[in-house]
Amino acid sequence: MNLHRMLRQRAAEGRPLRVGLIGAGKFGTMYLSQALRTPGIHLVGVADLQPVRAKAALKRVGWPADRLGAKGFTDAAKRGTTRIVDDAFALISAPEVDVVIDATGHPAAGIAHVLACCEHGKHVVMVNVEADALAGPLLARRAQEAGIVYSLAYGDQPALICEMVDWARTAGFEVIAAGKGTKYLPEYHASTPDTVWPHYGIAPEDAKAGGMNAQMFNSFLDGTKSAIEMAAVANATGLTPAPDGLAFPPCGVDDLPHLLRPASEGGLLHHRGQVEVVSSVERDRRTVFRDLRWGVYVTFAGDTDYVRRCFKEYGLHTDSSGNYTAMYKPYHLIGLELGVSVASVGLRREPTGAADGWRGDVVATAKRDLKAGETLDGEGGFTVYGKLMPATDSLAAGGLPLGLAHGVKLLKPVPAGRPVRWTDVEIDATQPAVAFRREMERTFAAALSGAASRPRSSRARARG
């Protein structure tokens, strides 16, 4: 990729990429550990609502004490030190910062940060996939109009999947399916922060002692995080969800070509060109053989006798027809890999994945029978989980996006398993995140209407 060579050259020239990080949680801290070891990178500033936590994170990963305590961003840039602040917008507006990383995980804050980056001409790496699932298509468009790069975060699974999809297509293959692995059983959709720990084999008292966030962990278990990540992949690649969303079929790496092919040819897919998440757990709770719980995959087609023969000659694992095969990465390194996005954005002006349309949406869906007057508590909570839907269906149904389903009161009862609608809740339409999401719906409505009216085969040809 030559990115490391380019970084070394920038270091030799005394022109490092000047980076600002918003959010010093787990993902952000993992990046800090590697930024310290990467040539050509200068971490000018860290913004966190708790500066003490940010300083502790820097110390924990070995940041030298003499590189902290800058008096301002200008001072930090001159002396090669790092400024810690509690104001993300001060960091974004600082002339000394070239690339901003949003690692907050807060959808409304993420939207505000990207729009500020557009205003101040700062490239942005969006670890905040929650904001991307809520409004990524319009955020990416605004960034393009502002002349900045908006990018998904390498190390997080969506960007790794985008890379695999791009690799396959660049090599001339049609992508049949792409996605990730996770631990899933149907009953997990009803999981709450009170029931999450036994599913992970962790005692509640140990989780508390370790400072683990039950609601965050539950968002991975109840299917919400998978829906969010697959919406990001769909919007960035042109792959689309099945009408019923994610099926989470149990599947090991050896079965990817067999199961992740169209149902018309013996597989499980609704259509060619689909996003799907595979489970590491059989429905009877047995562990899937050679599971892909931590990894990502892509299945693709040979579609000619010659290519199918090559698959066989070079030992690729295929389905019984010999036409479908797969590539996968068994692991992802989360924030430890984030520097790939920073370098790609800062040196090549190229994202490691970014929405170029609205194809997938994540709609708040009732975990149980909800009563009028109840307040929704958002991602990983007690009331709703996120369900992946085709954007056309979400728009037609008036589905409430999961990213806005926090702290809003229900006006009507919603039965278990049914998506919550905008008309079911009392919500302040003047809130910036709500207004921006509504603008996105209006902006993409005509294109979605046109896509829905075309036969699926025509849509597949249009995606290439």
Side-chain angles (χ1 to χ4, degrees):
M1 293 191 298
N2 291 322
L3 288 175
H4 185 251
R5 177 187 59 78
M6 296 170 73
L7 284 169
R8 285 191 291 109
Q9 182 175 341
R10 290 290 289 263
E13 295 170 351
R15 297 187 306 112
L17 287 179
R18 301 174 301 175
V19 179
L21 171 67
I22 306 173
K26 179 63 172 177
F27 203 116
T29 301
M30 293 177 83
Y31 172 68
L32 293 175
S33 74
Q34 302 307 100
L36 186 63
R37 303 152 56 91
T38 308
I41 294 292
H42 174 200
L43 184 74
V44 175
V46 178
D48 194 282
L49 294 175
Q50 301 177 51
V52 172
R53 180 178 75 158
K55 188 172 184 178
L58 286 159
K59 287 185 176 180
R60 186 160 60 251
V61 300
W63 215 264
D66 62 0
R67 289 180 59 178
L68 298 175
K71 297 178 181 179
F73 294 117
T74 300
D75 180 52
K78 287 180 178 178
R79 298 196 297 120
T81 57
T82 300
R83 171 83 167 155
I84 301 174
V85 296
D86 62 2
D87 184 351
F89 297 99
L91 178 66
I92 293 169
S93 63
E96 295 81 11
V97 173
D98 303 315
V99 179
V100 172
I101 302 167
D102 182 311
T104 64
H106 191 285
I111 291 173
H113 294 157
V114 174
L115 295 180
C117 285
C118 291
E119 178 183 354
H120 293 284
K122 306 300 169 67
H123 304 307
V124 58
V125 177
M126 201 64 165
V127 177
N128 190 344
V129 71
E130 292 81 5
D132 187 80
L134 175 62
L138 187 55
L139 289 174
R141 180 175 292 187
R142 288 289 178 83
Q144 184 178 31
E145 292 168 350
I148 66 169
V149 179
Y150 170 96
S151 176
L152 296 177
Y154 201 89
D156 225 355
Q157 287 164 305
L160 300 182
I161 296 166
C162 289
E163 178 185 52
M164 297 190 82
V165 170
D166 188 61
W167 164 83
R169 288 173 170 166
T170 303
F173 297 113
E174 180 188 359
V175 173
I176 305 303
K180 54 171 265 187
T182 195
K183 181 179 181 180
Y184 171 87
L185 287 171
E187 57 262 37
Y188 290 171
H189 286 312
S191 178
T192 73
D194 284 346
T195 64
V196 65
W197 297 124
H199 295 301
Y200 283 105
I202 300 173
E205 55 271 22
D206 290 339
K208 183 177 181 180
M212 297 179 180
N213 184 318
Q215 189 156 341
M216 185 271 286
F217 273 79
N218 197 49
S219 72
F220 285 93
L221 189 74
D222 70 9
T224 297
K225 199 67 83 173
S226 290
I228 288 171
E229 293 181 339
M230 291 307 100
V233 172
N235 294 334
T237 63
L239 303 174
T240 52
D244 293 331
L246 297 172
F248 298 96
C251 182
V253 296
D254 298 325
D255 289 328
L256 288 169
H258 176 70
L259 297 179
L260 277 303
R261 59 178 174 164
S264 60
E265 298 180 59
L268 299 176
L269 297 179
H270 174 267
H271 60 271
R272 292 168 78 112
Q274 184 173 317
V275 289
E276 186 57 84
V277 174
V278 297
S279 177
S280 63
V281 183
E282 300 283 0
R283 295 299 191 253
D284 63 5
R285 298 180 179 274
R286 290 179 297 117
T287 299
V288 166
F289 178 65
R290 282 172 46 81
D291 68 81
L292 193 64
R293 179 177 177 183
W294 308 106
V296 297
Y297 77 89
V298 61
T299 60
F300 51 97
D303 283 344
T304 71
D305 289 339
Y306 181 80
V307 173
R308 284 189 285 267
R309 188 179 308 116
C310 289
F311 285 172
K312 184 176 180 179
E313 289 171 349
Y314 287 90
L316 274 72
H317 196 88
T318 69
D319 71 321
S320 56
S321 74
N323 192 51
Y324 298 104
T325 190
M327 287 288 183
Y328 63 90
K329 288 181 103 171
Y331 306 108
H332 64 297
L333 296 181
I334 318 176
L336 300 179
E337 297 181 84
L338 183 59
V340 175
S341 286
V342 174
S344 182
V345 165
L347 299 175
R348 289 180 174 165
R349 306 296 191 264
E350 190 173 279
T352 51
D356 62 5
W358 190 26
R359 305 172 186 94
D361 197 20
V362 184
V363 176
T365 304
K367 288 187 172 184
R368 53 175 172 79
D369 290 339
L370 301 175
K371 300 176 182 177
E374 288 194 70
T375 299
L376 303 183
D377 57 354
E379 181 182 345
F382 291 86
T383 56
V384 293
Y385 71 93
K387 178 179 174 62
L388 180 66
M389 296 177 65
T392 50
D393 295 349
S394 170
L395 192 63
L400 178 71
L402 189 279
L404 297 176
H406 189 277
V408 294
K409 184 180 293 186
L410 283 172
L411 298 172
K412 306 172 186 177
V414 181
R418 201 205 82 183
V420 181
R421 297 181 294 246
W422 284 100
T423 54
D424 293 328
V425 299
E426 182 179 59
I427 195 164
D428 182 1
T430 65
Q431 291 181 10
V434 176
F436 192 81
R437 164 64 190 220
R438 285 304 217 181
E439 180 183 353
M440 188 181 86
E441 293 180 359
R442 293 190 299 271
T443 300
F444 287 88
L448 289 177
S449 176
S453 67
R454 297 199 305 270
R456 182 165 294 279
S457 59
S458 298
R459 279 178 268 163
R461 286 194 297 272
R463 290 192 302 270

